[in-house]
């Protein structure tokens, strides 16, 4: 009886974890660049009540499988797919940019580069494209002033 109670409690606790992930997804539905999570389950453990045996030629008996009793389920992993694009939504801000595919924006805090898919930007007082959430500058290449419409790579 205790095994069945343990199995039921493990299932309820794991289900609570899944509901927490779903609640987090709902709470962050309008957060810039939020990526929804999903839960993968796995067996918690088994209790072996009888071991397996091989065939016995002397007695003519075939082998028997092990007898195991499952003791519940647990969360195997919480997965986040960071390369899937969210739904497009018009904001009226020309600096709100959506990125698709396996790409990221590169932003800099003054000393370190970071990768992000959050595309909510503004133009700061110095004319730099920056993130609205933390002011990090967006990294990229300048347009070649001698050939409009072309990018001058390897320059800041």
């Amino acid at each position: 009886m205790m095994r069945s109670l343990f199995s039921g409690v493990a299932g309820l606790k794991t289900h609570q974890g899944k509901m927490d992930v779903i609640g987090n997804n709902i709470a962050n539905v309008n957060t810039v660049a939020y990526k929804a999570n999903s839960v993968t389950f796995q067996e918690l453990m088994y209790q072996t009540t009888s071991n397996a045996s091989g065939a016995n030629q002397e007695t003519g008996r075939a082998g028997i499988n092990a007898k195991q009793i499952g003791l519940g389920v647990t969360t195997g992993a919480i997965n986040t797919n960071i390369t899937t694009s969210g739904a497009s939504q018009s904001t009226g801000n020309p600096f709100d940019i959506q990125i698709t595919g396996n790409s990221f924006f590169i932003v800099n805090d003054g000393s370190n580069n970071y990768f992000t898919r959050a595309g909510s930007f503004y133009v700061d007082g110095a004319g730099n494209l920056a993130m609205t959430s933390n002011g990090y500058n967006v990294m990229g290449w300048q347009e070649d002033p001698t050939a409009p419409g072309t990018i001058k790579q390897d320059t800041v």
Side-chain angles (χ1 to χ4, degrees), residues 16-145:
Q16 177 185 1
K18 178 180 177 162
M19 295 304 292
D20 291 343
V21 170
I22 291 170
N24 190 42
N25 287 340
I26 293 169
N28 287 291
V29 72
N30 288 324
T31 303
V32 173
Y34 178 75
K35 296 298 176 188
N37 295 315
S38 63
V39 178
T40 303
F41 301 105
Q42 73 180 24
E43 298 164 337
L44 185 59
M45 63 179 152
Y46 279 99
Q47 179 180 10
T48 302
T49 59
S50 174
N51 292 326
S53 67
N56 187 336
Q57 288 195 6
E58 292 177 15
T59 62
R61 291 189 65 174
I64 55 173
N65 293 330
K67 294 178 185 168
Q68 295 179 320
I69 299 170
L71 297 177
V73 66
T74 189
T75 301
I78 298 176
N79 304 312
T80 306
N81 185 351
I82 63 170
T83 59
T84 302
S85 297
S88 297
Q89 180 179 351
S90 178
T91 63
N93 180 359
F95 299 112
D96 285 346
I97 305 167
Q98 179 181 9
I99 195 163
T100 59
N102 296 332
S103 303
F104 294 90
F105 296 109
I106 302 172
V107 295
N108 186 285
D109 66 355
S111 58
N112 297 309
N113 286 337
Y114 300 98
F115 295 96
T116 183
R117 290 183 64 91
S120 181
F121 303 118
Y122 73 102
V123 177
D124 68 6
N128 298 314
L129 189 63
M131 293 184 71
T132 56
S133 60
N134 52 25
Y136 292 179
N137 287 328
V138 178
M139 306 302 291
W141 289 306
Q142 298 288 330
E143 181 180 29
D144 188 346

Side-chain angles (χ1 to χ4, degrees), residues 140-153 155-156:
W141 289 306
Q142 298 288 330
E143 181 180 29
D144 188 346
T146 61
T150 60
I151 302 297
K152 188 174 182 181
Q153 294 186 5
T155 60
V156 180

